[in-house]
Amino acid sequence: MQKVSAYPLIYEFSRHLALRATVDPGETLLVESEDALSGQIRTAGDRRDKTTMPYSNPVAGPIAVRGAEPGDTLLVRIEEIRPTLGLCSTYTAPPRALGEWLGGDVPHGAHVCPIRDGRIHWSETLTLPYAPMLGCIGTTPHWGVPTTGPAGPYGGNLDLVEVAPGCQVLLPVFIEGAYLYLGDAHAAMGHGELSATGLEMAAETRITVDLLKGKSVPAPRIVTADELVAVATAGSLERAIAQATSYLILWLEEEYGWNRWRAYDLLTHVMRISIGYFGSGTVGVKIPREYASAAC
């Protein structure tokens, strides 16, 4: 099994960088990644210092997929996400939009939590479920070089909790080889990632990469054991919800035989919304797979 190193750290989805690996469709590989804080917080006394490391969310890659061409779709199965240091870190970032009500006098709040026996030890009295997910995953656009801060049709910094072990992530292919990147693993994260910092961890992620030839998708899609999730990023959550809902309706029409207006009606009653970092305008709109298969 090929292994992709986390280093040197990369903070962009670029088609100009040297390949870290080339894989065949159906191949499984192990991808190492540093945490989103670039490894700066390992103990409670550490501080996130953006004067020495101004960027966040390093990713590993690019990974080329043989035979991938523009108009294809990459299918990435997340098999496992494992912490490499047995801990996760966070800190209290400035409250930004919440400052209107909370004020801005926020302590740094560096916080390091051991991960043991499937639990995150938040404190001596409180543990949280270990619920790993990837904040960043994406292919490479054919123009521009987006950083690992935003998200878009290529993927990017989605911060959706559904990008977790057991899911499949479908990504558009824009360039030959696709050039896949991933990283920004979290031990857990609440919807909306309120302070823009989850429980960040260095990780090893085992993935299987497949290729859907001649099939195109307009934006990332996620398939979990129970749900179909259409993803969109827009300037506002309101527009992102409308766009992702439309993508899900068209997905049901294209692949499951639904009349789009019947699907529109159904989603009004059963759809759920997953929110990435609330300031980025990324959402996933979801429907149980059992409903999708019952076209009417």
Side-chain angles (χ1 to χ4, degrees):
M1 184 189 310
Q2 293 191 65
K3 179 183 285 190
V4 178
S5 174
Y7 289 87
L9 300 181
I10 294 170
Y11 299 90
E12 58 189 24
F13 292 82
S14 174
R15 62 195 179 281
H16 305 298
L17 299 178
L19 291 170
R20 297 276 181 92
T22 301
V23 299
D24 291 313
E27 189 170 339
T28 299
L29 67 159
L30 195 64
V31 182
E32 299 175 335
S33 59
E34 182 53 275
D35 68 39
L37 310 175
S38 301
Q40 286 193 319
I41 298 179
R42 299 287 200 238
T43 71
D46 292 339
R47 293 292 179 263
R48 177 76 169 98
D49 183 358
K50 292 190 176 182
T51 64
T52 60
M53 184 63 72
Y55 309 120
S56 299
N57 307 328
V59 289
I63 301 162
V65 181
R66 290 187 180 93
E69 300 173 302
D72 295 339
T73 293
L74 214 60
L75 189 155
V76 183
R77 295 181 181 88
I78 311 294
E79 312 282 5
E80 180 184 25
I81 304 173
R82 188 180 69 83
T84 54
L85 301 176
L87 58 82
C88 54
S89 306
T90 190
Y91 74 104
T92 311
R96 304 182 189 184
L98 282 69
E100 179 180 348
W101 299 276
L102 303 182
D105 187 20
V106 58
H108 186 277
H111 193 183
V112 178
C113 306
I115 303 170
R116 295 192 302 268
D117 303 321
R119 306 291 295 183
I120 300 163
H121 292 257
W122 174 263
S123 70
E124 292 184 0
T125 58
L126 178 63
T127 67
L128 310 174
Y130 176 64
M133 44 83 69
L134 293 178
C136 289
I137 186 169
T139 51
T140 299
H142 67 280
W143 61 274
V145 181
T147 72
T148 54
Y154 57 92
N157 188 23
L158 300 175
D159 279 328
L160 292 170
V161 298
E162 290 78 12
V163 184
C167 87
Q168 301 174 11
V169 183
L170 283 71
L171 297 163
V173 175
F174 300 100
I175 63 171
E176 185 175 344
Y179 280 40
L180 173 69
Y181 293 83
L182 60 89
D184 184 25
H186 300 165
M189 191 196 82
H191 286 236
E193 197 183 25
L194 194 58
S195 74
T197 304
L199 286 165
E200 313 288 350
M201 67 178 184
E204 288 184 341
T205 301
R206 182 163 50 87
I207 62 171
T208 300
V209 182
D210 232 321
L211 185 62
L212 305 179
K213 290 294 297 179
K215 173 183 175 60
S216 62
V217 294
R221 293 174 175 175
I222 304 166
V223 180
T224 74
D226 304 313
E227 296 175 315
L228 303 179
V229 188
V231 179
T233 300
S236 70
L237 286 175
E238 181 181 7
R239 179 168 176 80
I241 290 168
Q243 186 173 17
T245 303
S246 300
Y247 285 163
L248 182 53
I249 289 168
L250 295 174
W251 185 2
L252 293 172
E253 181 180 63
E254 174 191 352
E255 293 194 15
Y256 292 89
W258 276 86
N259 173 278
R260 67 177 58 181
W261 301 116
R262 290 283 281 173
Y264 171 58
D265 189 8
L266 177 70
L267 263 60
T268 301
H269 313 299
V270 302
M271 82 175 193
R272 298 292 182 265
I273 299 170
S274 181
I275 300 177
Y277 169 52
F278 80 100
S280 70
T282 297
V283 302
V285 169
K286 318 190 283 188
I287 186 174
R289 291 176 66 177
E290 62 185 286
Y291 296 158
S293 300
C296 63

Short mmCIF file of all heavy atoms in Angstrom, two decimals, residues 187-244:
data_model
loop_
_atom_site.label_atom_id
_atom_site.label_comp_id
_atom_site.label_asym_id
_atom_site.label_seq_id
_atom_site.Cartn_x
_atom_site.Cartn_y
_atom_site.Cartn_z
N ALA A 187 -11.02 15.09 15.32
CA ALA A 187 -11.48 13.99 16.17
C ALA A 187 -12.98 14.10 16.39
O ALA A 187 -13.66 13.09 16.61
CB ALA A 187 -10.75 14.01 17.50
N ALA A 188 -13.50 15.31 16.34
CA ALA A 188 -14.93 15.59 16.41
C ALA A 188 -15.14 17.04 16.02
O ALA A 188 -14.20 17.85 16.10
CB ALA A 188 -15.50 15.32 17.80
N MET A 189 -16.35 17.38 15.61
CA MET A 189 -16.68 18.75 15.26
C MET A 189 -18.18 18.93 15.31
O MET A 189 -18.93 18.08 14.82
CB MET A 189 -16.18 19.10 13.85
CG MET A 189 -16.25 20.58 13.50
SD MET A 189 -16.10 20.89 11.72
CE MET A 189 -17.80 20.58 11.21
N GLY A 190 -18.63 20.03 15.88
CA GLY A 190 -20.04 20.34 15.87
C GLY A 190 -20.44 20.97 14.54
O GLY A 190 -19.61 21.54 13.83
N HIS A 191 -21.70 20.86 14.19
CA HIS A 191 -22.18 21.51 12.97
C HIS A 191 -21.93 23.01 13.07
O HIS A 191 -22.24 23.64 14.08
CB HIS A 191 -23.67 21.24 12.79
CG HIS A 191 -23.99 19.85 12.35
ND1 HIS A 191 -24.72 19.56 11.22
CD2 HIS A 191 -23.65 18.65 12.88
CE1 HIS A 191 -24.82 18.25 11.08
NE2 HIS A 191 -24.18 17.69 12.09
N GLY A 192 -21.38 23.57 12.02
CA GLY A 192 -21.12 25.01 11.99
C GLY A 192 -19.72 25.40 12.42
O GLY A 192 -19.30 26.53 12.18
N GLU A 193 -18.98 24.46 13.08
CA GLU A 193 -17.61 24.73 13.55
C GLU A 193 -17.50 26.18 14.07
O GLU A 193 -16.82 27.03 13.50
CB GLU A 193 -16.59 24.48 12.45
CG GLU A 193 -15.18 24.33 12.99
CD GLU A 193 -14.14 24.16 11.91
OE1 GLU A 193 -14.37 24.59 10.75
OE2 GLU A 193 -13.08 23.60 12.20
N LEU A 194 -18.19 26.44 15.16
CA LEU A 194 -18.49 27.78 15.63
C LEU A 194 -17.29 28.71 15.70
O LEU A 194 -17.35 29.87 15.25
CB LEU A 194 -19.17 27.69 17.00
CG LEU A 194 -19.85 28.92 17.53
CD1 LEU A 194 -20.94 29.41 16.57
CD2 LEU A 194 -20.45 28.63 18.90
N SER A 195 -16.17 28.25 16.26
CA SER A 195 -15.00 29.13 16.39
C SER A 195 -14.01 28.95 15.24
O SER A 195 -12.89 29.45 15.31
CB SER A 195 -14.28 28.87 17.72
OG SER A 195 -13.57 27.65 17.68
N ALA A 196 -14.43 28.22 14.20
CA ALA A 196 -13.59 27.93 13.03
C ALA A 196 -12.43 27.00 13.38
O ALA A 196 -11.50 26.84 12.60
CB ALA A 196 -13.06 29.20 12.38
N THR A 197 -12.49 26.35 14.55
CA THR A 197 -11.48 25.38 14.95
C THR A 197 -12.17 24.18 15.57
O THR A 197 -12.86 24.32 16.58
CB THR A 197 -10.49 25.99 15.97
OG1 THR A 197 -9.91 27.16 15.42
CG2 THR A 197 -9.38 25.00 16.29
N GLY A 198 -12.01 23.02 14.95
CA GLY A 198 -12.55 21.81 15.53
C GLY A 198 -11.55 21.19 16.48
O GLY A 198 -10.59 21.82 16.91
N LEU A 199 -11.79 19.94 16.87
CA LEU A 199 -10.82 19.19 17.66
C LEU A 199 -9.82 18.60 16.67
O LEU A 199 -9.99 17.49 16.16
CB LEU A 199 -11.52 18.13 18.50
CG LEU A 199 -12.28 18.72 19.70
CD1 LEU A 199 -13.24 17.71 20.29
CD2 LEU A 199 -11.31 19.22 20.76
N GLU A 200 -8.81 19.40 16.37
CA GLU A 200 -7.89 19.14 15.27
C GLU A 200 -6.87 18.07 15.64
O GLU A 200 -6.37 18.05 16.77
CB GLU A 200 -7.15 20.43 14.88
CG GLU A 200 -8.04 21.65 14.73
CD GLU A 200 -8.92 21.63 13.50
OE1 GLU A 200 -8.71 20.74 12.64
OE2 GLU A 200 -9.81 22.49 13.38
N MET A 201 -6.55 17.20 14.67
CA MET A 201 -5.58 16.16 14.98
C MET A 201 -4.75 15.79 13.76
O MET A 201 -5.23 15.82 12.62
CB MET A 201 -6.27 14.91 15.52
CG MET A 201 -7.15 14.17 14.53
SD MET A 201 -7.87 12.67 15.26
CE MET A 201 -8.72 11.99 13.81
N ALA A 202 -3.50 15.45 14.03
CA ALA A 202 -2.68 14.79 13.01
C ALA A 202 -3.23 13.38 12.83
O ALA A 202 -3.64 12.74 13.80
CB ALA A 202 -1.22 14.75 13.46
N ALA A 203 -3.26 12.92 11.58
CA ALA A 203 -3.98 11.67 11.33
C ALA A 203 -3.36 10.88 10.19
O ALA A 203 -2.59 11.40 9.36
CB ALA A 203 -5.44 11.97 11.01
N GLU A 204 -3.71 9.60 10.16
CA GLU A 204 -3.52 8.74 9.00
C GLU A 204 -4.90 8.36 8.50
O GLU A 204 -5.72 7.84 9.27
CB GLU A 204 -2.73 7.49 9.36
CG GLU A 204 -1.26 7.74 9.65
CD GLU A 204 -0.51 6.44 9.91
OE1 GLU A 204 -1.17 5.41 10.21
OE2 GLU A 204 0.72 6.46 9.80
N THR A 205 -5.15 8.62 7.23
CA THR A 205 -6.45 8.31 6.63
C THR A 205 -6.25 7.27 5.54
O THR A 205 -5.46 7.46 4.61
CB THR A 205 -7.09 9.58 6.03
OG1 THR A 205 -7.26 10.56 7.05
CG2 THR A 205 -8.43 9.27 5.42
N ARG A 206 -6.96 6.17 5.68
CA ARG A 206 -6.92 5.12 4.66
C ARG A 206 -8.10 5.32 3.71
O ARG A 206 -9.25 5.38 4.14
CB ARG A 206 -6.95 3.75 5.31
CG ARG A 206 -6.87 2.58 4.33
CD ARG A 206 -6.48 1.29 5.06
NE ARG A 206 -7.32 1.06 6.22
CZ ARG A 206 -8.51 0.41 6.20
NH1 ARG A 206 -9.00 -0.04 5.04
NH2 ARG A 206 -9.19 0.23 7.31
N ILE A 207 -7.78 5.46 2.44
CA ILE A 207 -8.81 5.70 1.43
C ILE A 207 -8.66 4.70 0.29
O ILE A 207 -7.58 4.15 0.05
CB ILE A 207 -8.74 7.14 0.86
CG1 ILE A 207 -7.39 7.38 0.16
CG2 ILE A 207 -8.99 8.17 1.94
CD1 ILE A 207 -7.32 8.69 -0.61
N THR A 208 -9.76 4.48 -0.41
CA THR A 208 -9.74 3.76 -1.68
C THR A 208 -10.27 4.72 -2.74
O THR A 208 -11.34 5.32 -2.55
CB THR A 208 -10.60 2.49 -1.62
OG1 THR A 208 -10.10 1.63 -0.60
CG2 THR A 208 -10.57 1.75 -2.96
N VAL A 209 -9.52 4.86 -3.83
CA VAL A 209 -9.86 5.83 -4.86
C VAL A 209 -10.36 5.09 -6.09
O VAL A 209 -9.68 4.18 -6.61
CB VAL A 209 -8.65 6.70 -5.23
CG1 VAL A 209 -9.03 7.73 -6.28
CG2 VAL A 209 -8.10 7.39 -3.99
N ASP A 210 -11.52 5.47 -6.57
CA ASP A 210 -12.08 4.86 -7.78
C ASP A 210 -12.43 5.95 -8.78
O ASP A 210 -12.42 7.15 -8.44
CB ASP A 210 -13.30 4.01 -7.46
CG ASP A 210 -13.18 2.61 -8.05
OD1 ASP A 210 -12.67 2.50 -9.19
OD2 ASP A 210 -13.58 1.65 -7.39
N LEU A 211 -12.76 5.55 -9.97
CA LEU A 211 -13.00 6.50 -11.06
C LEU A 211 -14.28 6.12 -11.78
O LEU A 211 -14.47 4.97 -12.19
CB LEU A 211 -11.82 6.47 -12.04
CG LEU A 211 -11.82 7.48 -13.18
CD1 LEU A 211 -11.78 8.91 -12.66
CD2 LEU A 211 -10.63 7.22 -14.10
N LEU A 212 -15.17 7.10 -11.94
CA LEU A 212 -16.40 6.91 -12.70
C LEU A 212 -16.21 7.61 -14.05
O LEU A 212 -16.32 8.84 -14.15
CB LEU A 212 -17.59 7.49 -11.94
CG LEU A 212 -17.79 6.96 -10.51
CD1 LEU A 212 -18.99 7.62 -9.85
CD2 LEU A 212 -17.94 5.44 -10.50
N LYS A 213 -15.89 6.85 -15.07
CA LYS A 213 -15.58 7.41 -16.39
C LYS A 213 -16.86 7.94 -17.06
O LYS A 213 -17.90 7.30 -17.06
CB LYS A 213 -14.95 6.34 -17.29
CG LYS A 213 -13.55 5.93 -16.89
CD LYS A 213 -12.56 7.07 -17.06
CE LYS A 213 -12.41 7.52 -18.49
NZ LYS A 213 -11.44 8.66 -18.63
N GLY A 214 -16.72 9.13 -17.63
CA GLY A 214 -17.81 9.71 -18.40
C GLY A 214 -18.98 10.20 -17.57
O GLY A 214 -20.00 10.61 -18.12
N LYS A 215 -18.85 10.15 -16.26
CA LYS A 215 -19.91 10.66 -15.38
C LYS A 215 -19.42 11.96 -14.76
O LYS A 215 -18.34 11.99 -14.17
CB LYS A 215 -20.23 9.65 -14.29
CG LYS A 215 -21.21 10.18 -13.24
CD LYS A 215 -21.44 9.18 -12.14
CE LYS A 215 -22.31 9.75 -11.03
NZ LYS A 215 -23.63 10.17 -11.50
N SER A 216 -20.21 13.00 -14.85
CA SER A 216 -19.82 14.28 -14.26
C SER A 216 -20.81 14.67 -13.17
O SER A 216 -22.00 14.35 -13.25
CB SER A 216 -19.76 15.38 -15.33
OG SER A 216 -21.03 15.58 -15.91
N VAL A 217 -20.30 15.32 -12.15
CA VAL A 217 -21.14 15.86 -11.08
C VAL A 217 -20.82 17.35 -10.97
O VAL A 217 -19.69 17.77 -11.20
CB VAL A 217 -20.89 15.15 -9.73
CG1 VAL A 217 -21.34 13.70 -9.81
CG2 VAL A 217 -19.43 15.22 -9.32
N PRO A 218 -21.80 18.19 -10.62
CA PRO A 218 -21.57 19.63 -10.60
C PRO A 218 -20.81 20.11 -9.39
O PRO A 218 -20.26 21.22 -9.40
CB PRO A 218 -22.99 20.21 -10.61
CG PRO A 218 -23.82 19.16 -9.94
CD PRO A 218 -23.22 17.85 -10.35
N ALA A 219 -20.77 19.29 -8.34
CA ALA A 219 -20.16 19.68 -7.07
C ALA A 219 -20.01 18.41 -6.25
O ALA A 219 -20.53 17.35 -6.63
CB ALA A 219 -21.05 20.70 -6.35
N PRO A 220 -19.32 18.47 -5.12
CA PRO A 220 -19.16 17.25 -4.32
C PRO A 220 -20.49 16.63 -3.91
O PRO A 220 -21.47 17.33 -3.63
CB PRO A 220 -18.39 17.74 -3.09
CG PRO A 220 -17.65 18.94 -3.56
CD PRO A 220 -18.55 19.60 -4.56
N ARG A 221 -20.49 15.31 -3.87
CA ARG A 221 -21.59 14.53 -3.33
C ARG A 221 -21.02 13.57 -2.30
O ARG A 221 -19.89 13.09 -2.45
CB ARG A 221 -22.31 13.74 -4.42
CG ARG A 221 -23.05 14.58 -5.44
CD ARG A 221 -23.62 13.73 -6.56
NE ARG A 221 -24.42 14.53 -7.49
CZ ARG A 221 -24.96 14.05 -8.61
NH1 ARG A 221 -24.80 12.77 -8.93
NH2 ARG A 221 -25.68 14.85 -9.39
N ILE A 222 -21.80 13.28 -1.28
CA ILE A 222 -21.39 12.35 -0.25
C ILE A 222 -22.47 11.28 -0.13
O ILE A 222 -23.66 11.58 -0.08
CB ILE A 222 -21.20 13.06 1.10
CG1 ILE A 222 -20.19 14.22 0.97
CG2 ILE A 222 -20.73 12.08 2.18
CD1 ILE A 222 -20.21 15.16 2.15
N VAL A 223 -22.03 10.03 -0.11
CA VAL A 223 -22.93 8.91 0.09
C VAL A 223 -22.52 8.21 1.38
O VAL A 223 -21.40 7.70 1.48
CB VAL A 223 -22.90 7.93 -1.08
CG1 VAL A 223 -23.86 6.77 -0.85
CG2 VAL A 223 -23.24 8.64 -2.40
N THR A 224 -23.39 8.23 2.38
CA THR A 224 -23.12 7.51 3.63
C THR A 224 -23.90 6.21 3.62
O THR A 224 -24.60 5.89 2.66
CB THR A 224 -23.51 8.37 4.84
OG1 THR A 224 -24.95 8.39 4.95
CG2 THR A 224 -22.99 9.79 4.73
N ALA A 225 -23.79 5.47 4.69
CA ALA A 225 -24.54 4.21 4.77
C ALA A 225 -26.04 4.46 4.69
O ALA A 225 -26.79 3.60 4.22
CB ALA A 225 -24.18 3.49 6.07
N ASP A 226 -26.47 5.64 5.14
CA ASP A 226 -27.91 5.89 5.26
C ASP A 226 -28.44 7.04 4.43
O ASP A 226 -29.66 7.15 4.24
CB ASP A 226 -28.26 6.18 6.73
CG ASP A 226 -27.81 5.07 7.67
OD1 ASP A 226 -28.08 3.90 7.35
OD2 ASP A 226 -27.18 5.38 8.68
N GLU A 227 -27.56 7.92 3.93
CA GLU A 227 -28.02 9.16 3.33
C GLU A 227 -27.30 9.50 2.03
O GLU A 227 -26.15 9.09 1.81
CB GLU A 227 -27.82 10.33 4.31
CG GLU A 227 -28.63 10.21 5.59
CD GLU A 227 -28.30 11.31 6.58
OE1 GLU A 227 -27.10 11.58 6.78
OE2 GLU A 227 -29.24 11.89 7.16
N LEU A 228 -27.98 10.29 1.20
CA LEU A 228 -27.36 10.98 0.08
C LEU A 228 -27.23 12.44 0.49
O LEU A 228 -28.17 13.04 1.00
CB LEU A 228 -28.24 10.88 -1.17
CG LEU A 228 -28.61 9.49 -1.68
CD1 LEU A 228 -29.50 9.63 -2.91
CD2 LEU A 228 -27.38 8.67 -1.98
N VAL A 229 -26.05 13.02 0.22
CA VAL A 229 -25.77 14.39 0.65
C VAL A 229 -25.26 15.17 -0.56
O VAL A 229 -24.22 14.84 -1.13
CB VAL A 229 -24.72 14.44 1.76
CG1 VAL A 229 -24.59 15.85 2.32
CG2 VAL A 229 -25.02 13.43 2.87
N ALA A 230 -25.98 16.20 -0.96
CA ALA A 230 -25.54 17.11 -2.02
C ALA A 230 -24.93 18.34 -1.35
O ALA A 230 -25.47 18.88 -0.39
CB ALA A 230 -26.70 17.51 -2.91
N VAL A 231 -23.80 18.80 -1.90
CA VAL A 231 -23.01 19.85 -1.27
C VAL A 231 -22.97 21.09 -2.16
O VAL A 231 -22.87 20.99 -3.38
CB VAL A 231 -21.58 19.36 -1.00
CG1 VAL A 231 -20.72 20.45 -0.37
CG2 VAL A 231 -21.60 18.11 -0.12
N ALA A 232 -23.04 22.25 -1.54
CA ALA A 232 -22.86 23.51 -2.27
C ALA A 232 -22.21 24.52 -1.35
O ALA A 232 -22.38 24.49 -0.13
CB ALA A 232 -24.19 24.05 -2.78
N THR A 233 -21.45 25.43 -1.96
CA THR A 233 -20.84 26.56 -1.25
C THR A 233 -21.24 27.82 -1.97
O THR A 233 -21.13 27.92 -3.19
CB THR A 233 -19.31 26.44 -1.24
OG1 THR A 233 -18.94 25.23 -0.58
CG2 THR A 233 -18.67 27.62 -0.52
N ALA A 234 -21.74 28.80 -1.22
CA ALA A 234 -22.16 30.06 -1.82
C ALA A 234 -21.81 31.20 -0.88
O ALA A 234 -21.27 30.99 0.21
CB ALA A 234 -23.66 30.04 -2.11
N GLY A 235 -22.10 32.41 -1.28
CA GLY A 235 -21.75 33.56 -0.47
C GLY A 235 -22.56 33.67 0.80
O GLY A 235 -22.19 34.39 1.72
N SER A 236 -23.68 32.98 0.87
CA SER A 236 -24.52 32.98 2.06
C SER A 236 -25.08 31.60 2.26
O SER A 236 -25.22 30.81 1.30
CB SER A 236 -25.66 33.99 1.91
OG SER A 236 -26.59 33.54 0.93
N LEU A 237 -25.41 31.28 3.50
CA LEU A 237 -26.03 29.98 3.78
C LEU A 237 -27.37 29.85 3.07
O LEU A 237 -27.74 28.77 2.61
CB LEU A 237 -26.19 29.79 5.28
CG LEU A 237 -24.91 29.48 6.06
CD1 LEU A 237 -25.21 29.44 7.55
CD2 LEU A 237 -24.30 28.16 5.62
N GLU A 238 -28.10 30.95 2.96
CA GLU A 238 -29.40 30.91 2.29
C GLU A 238 -29.26 30.44 0.85
O GLU A 238 -29.98 29.54 0.39
CB GLU A 238 -30.05 32.29 2.34
CG GLU A 238 -31.42 32.35 1.67
CD GLU A 238 -32.03 33.74 1.72
OE1 GLU A 238 -31.35 34.69 2.14
OE2 GLU A 238 -33.20 33.88 1.32
N ARG A 239 -28.31 31.03 0.13
CA ARG A 239 -28.12 30.62 -1.27
C ARG A 239 -27.53 29.21 -1.35
O ARG A 239 -27.91 28.42 -2.22
CB ARG A 239 -27.22 31.61 -2.00
CG ARG A 239 -26.97 31.23 -3.45
CD ARG A 239 -26.32 32.32 -4.26
NE ARG A 239 -26.00 31.88 -5.60
CZ ARG A 239 -26.87 31.80 -6.60
NH1 ARG A 239 -28.14 32.15 -6.39
NH2 ARG A 239 -26.52 31.38 -7.79
N ALA A 240 -26.61 28.88 -0.44
CA ALA A 240 -26.01 27.55 -0.46
C ALA A 240 -27.07 26.47 -0.24
O ALA A 240 -27.04 25.41 -0.88
CB ALA A 240 -24.91 27.45 0.59
N ILE A 241 -28.02 26.72 0.65
CA ILE A 241 -29.08 25.74 0.90
C ILE A 241 -29.94 25.57 -0.35
O ILE A 241 -30.27 24.44 -0.75
CB ILE A 241 -29.94 26.18 2.10
CG1 ILE A 241 -29.12 26.05 3.39
CG2 ILE A 241 -31.21 25.34 2.19
CD1 ILE A 241 -29.76 26.73 4.58
N ALA A 242 -30.28 26.67 -1.01
CA ALA A 242 -31.08 26.58 -2.24
C ALA A 242 -30.33 25.83 -3.33
O ALA A 242 -30.90 24.98 -4.04
CB ALA A 242 -31.46 27.98 -2.71
N GLN A 243 -29.03 26.11 -3.46
CA GLN A 243 -28.25 25.46 -4.50
C GLN A 243 -28.07 23.97 -4.21
O GLN A 243 -28.26 23.12 -5.10
CB GLN A 243 -26.88 26.14 -4.63
CG GLN A 243 -26.04 25.64 -5.79
CD GLN A 243 -24.78 26.47 -5.97
OE1 GLN A 243 -24.36 27.21 -5.09
NE2 GLN A 243 -24.17 26.36 -7.12
N ALA A 244 -27.71 23.63 -2.98
CA ALA A 244 -27.52 22.22 -2.63
C ALA A 244 -28.82 21.44 -2.75
O ALA A 244 -28.83 20.28 -3.20
CB ALA A 244 -26.97 22.11 -1.21
#
